[in-house]
Amino acid sequence: MNMKTLTRKSMLSLLLSMLLLALVPVSAIRAENLSISTHARAAALIDVTSGRILYSSRGDEPMLIASLTKIMTALVAIENGDITSKVKVGKNAFAKEGSSLYLKLGEEMTLKDMLYGLMLRSGNDAATAIAEHVGGSEQGFVYLMNAKAQELNLKNTHFANPHGLDAEGHFSSANDLAVLTAYAMHNPVFKEIVASKEKTADNPYEKWDYKWSNKNKMLRLYEGADGVKTGYTKKALRCLVSSATRDGQQLVAVTLNDGNDWNDHASLLDFGFNHYPLKTLVERGEAVKGYSLVTGKAFAYPLGQGEEARLVNKLVLSAAPQASADGNAAGTGSTTGAGFSVSAGAGRAAVNASGSEGDVNFGLRGVIILQLGEQEIGRVPVYKPGQLPPETTPYVKKYNAASASAYPAGNWLQAFGSALRALFLTGE
């Protein structure tokens, strides 16, 4: 691969990761576990849109993860490789131990088709071939995997190979895998692959084509299931990451070392949908009460029973003073409870309100900080009316403009363009 191309892609990926972690503090608030339980050594459940972890049991414990490794393998390959390029099977990939696509030595296949074989049939030969193709060597690719883990702040994760065979220094945790998968499910190529029940690919050595059936039985057993990956080794035992979407909400469940994983995942997903439905708290373009401002993006968050009453919205403006619509001095303010409004409060607003030419903020006037109790759960930029940034991000256009409307970037990535112009930083 051209090194300049790889560097550009890596920089874009790093920027997106930083924005993701800045704009939405992943698992900022962990929901109460209530009565749900599993047979797993460790488990986690996450809402994909918000990044909120809804359930966690031993979620930060580093463990063997078997072929769940390939979630990161696929993501890194998609972000750093050309999915139309041809991958050649070398001697290290040929006849690789464990689950296999039975690829021939010297065989060539498009990266995208090989990714289907990787995720549907868990081919270790495909994992090795992909790693050598994208990373230059298996070691080079593993470096990219660990760099991505660091970008996503996966503190209990380290990779030693691209396939997941048990190895020293190769581990992750249920919470880390939940965050990784939620991030990956915002990539339309990844999302398309893991939701596929079967795939046909060209076989240059036989009269028939490859036909792969997905090992993930959740796609057939659970209504709304749309991913993700199975895993097993003698030491890791049964591992599973699944996802499902209902009523516009997508959840990801993770279990490690679970002998009853199909049933446990159905219970975890049911628990999330029933107890933490996704609620839209802010609409894009919504007027800010008392100010000549509108919101720059939509914001949705899963809320448990009674949590809506604990919501707090705070408006923070930037630059020079501005008067609000009712004549009061603009400043920071907050309201508690359901609904959306921000009132004027004490203090001076800092806002460039002149509306004159030379507006270096391109209409950006501040941010609404959303809190659940004392904990911040997200931020929404606010703009002068008529100066909202484009709704579609460069990240969406890069992968598949035709499927942009189906790509759920509304909360994690939709503010990509405007965030580059924002003059504030966020944190947990």
Side-chain angles (χ1 to χ4, degrees):
M1 172 179 290
N2 184 285
M3 185 57 66
K4 290 184 178 179
T5 301
L6 180 59
T7 301
R8 286 196 298 270
K9 290 183 177 180
S10 298
M11 290 177 66
L12 175 61
S13 175
L14 175 60
L15 180 57
L16 287 168
S17 301
M18 291 172 65
L19 287 167
L20 182 154
L21 294 171
L23 292 171
V24 179
V26 174
S27 61
I29 294 181
R30 189 161 301 160
E32 213 177 303
N33 286 348
L34 301 177
S35 60
I36 188 71
S37 64
T38 71
H39 298 81
R41 169 75 180 181
L45 178 70
I46 192 170
D47 173 75
V48 170
T49 298
S50 66
R52 184 184 188 184
I53 291 183
L54 306 177
Y55 171 83
S56 179
S57 174
R58 291 180 173 172
D60 292 324
E61 182 177 331
M63 295 180 61
L64 297 173
I65 60 170
S67 286
L68 302 189
T69 299
K70 290 163 183 158
I71 295 171
M72 180 65 90
T73 302
L75 177 65
V76 169
I78 293 167
E79 290 191 343
N80 292 279
D82 177 358
I83 61 174
T84 66
S85 62
K86 291 282 189 176
V87 179
K88 188 173 183 178
V89 179
K91 62 180 181 180
N92 294 324
F94 174 64
K96 189 72 177 180
E97 64 180 295
S99 55
S100 179
L101 301 184
Y102 305 102
L103 301 170
K104 304 290 192 301
L105 182 63
E107 180 175 351
E108 293 187 350
M109 181 183 293
T110 66
L111 176 56
K112 187 170 185 180
D113 281 348
M114 197 165 283
L115 285 167
Y116 273 96
L118 175 81
M119 298 305 285
L120 272 63
R121 298 306 299 170
S122 203
N124 291 339
D125 49 356
T128 304
I130 289 169
E132 293 181 335
H133 176 75
V134 175
S137 66
E138 186 170 318
Q139 293 78 13
F141 189 82
V142 169
Y143 174 84
L144 296 177
M145 295 172 72
N146 286 315
K148 190 66 183 180
Q150 188 172 14
E151 289 173 20
L152 295 177
N153 198 31
L154 308 183
K155 296 180 179 179
N156 298 298
T157 296
H158 188 270
F159 297 101
N161 60 60
H163 39 68
L165 292 174
D166 298 330
E168 184 177 354
H170 191 91
F171 54 83
S172 188
S173 68
N175 285 352
D176 280 2
L177 286 167
V179 171
L180 168 63
T181 307
Y183 172 88
M185 293 302 282
H186 284 80
N187 183 302
V189 177
F190 181 93
K191 186 176 181 179
E192 171 192 315
I193 291 171
V194 299
S196 301
K197 294 180 180 179
E198 61 181 26
K199 172 66 175 177
T200 300
D202 182 58
N203 185 345
Y205 294 94
E206 304 291 347
K207 295 180 180 180
W208 56 87
D209 290 334
Y210 288 111
K211 189 172 182 179
W212 300 313
S213 178
N214 201 321
K215 291 184 177 183
N216 181 10
K217 294 182 181 179
M218 289 295 291
L219 294 174
R220 300 168 178 84
L221 295 175
Y222 191 83
E223 181 183 353
D226 48 19
V228 173
K229 187 72 188 72
T230 60
Y232 176 84
T233 66
K234 290 182 180 179
K235 291 184 178 180
L237 300 178
R238 293 180 64 89
C239 301
L240 179 63
V241 175
S242 68
S243 66
T245 302
R246 289 184 181 176
D247 298 324
Q249 180 178 19
Q250 186 174 34
L251 302 177
V252 165
V254 181
T255 54
L256 302 176
N257 188 350
D258 186 348
N260 194 27
D261 49 11
W262 308 122
N263 289 327
D264 283 342
H265 276 245
S267 297
L268 282 168
L269 293 168
D270 284 346
F271 169 80
F273 288 128
N274 292 335
H275 292 277
Y276 292 93
L278 189 65
K279 181 177 179 60
T280 298
L281 304 180
V282 180
E283 297 282 4
R284 173 179 162 87
E286 185 175 343
V288 179
K289 185 178 179 181
Y291 297 82
S292 181
L293 298 170
V294 294
T295 54
K297 66 168 186 171
F299 183 86
Y301 201 76
L303 294 171
Q305 185 176 3
E307 287 188 332
E308 192 166 352
R310 297 171 53 213
L311 290 173
V312 177
N313 303 321
K314 295 182 178 180
L315 174 62
V316 179
L317 303 175
S318 54
Q322 171 184 322
S324 67
D326 59 9
N328 294 322
T332 60
S334 64
T335 57
T336 305
F340 171 75
S341 63
V342 181
S343 63
R348 300 278 294 185
V351 82
N352 180 0
S354 64
S356 60
E357 293 183 7
D359 180 1
V360 295
N361 292 333
F362 300 96
L364 178 67
R365 292 294 175 261
V367 60
I368 294 169
I369 301 174
L370 296 100
Q371 295 180 207
L372 184 54
E374 296 298 319
Q375 181 66 60
E376 181 179 327
I377 61 174
R379 296 192 173 198
V380 174
V382 293
Y383 292 84
K384 290 186 64 178
Q387 293 189 337
L388 285 179
E391 188 167 4
T392 302
T393 70
Y395 191 68
V396 174
K397 293 178 180 178
K398 168 181 166 61
Y399 284 105
N400 189 354
S403 64
S405 61
Y407 179 38
N411 286 302
W412 284 22
L413 301 171
Q414 185 179 351
F416 175 75
S418 61
L420 296 179
R421 299 186 289 269
L423 300 179
F424 57 85
L425 296 174
T426 66
E428 290 190 20

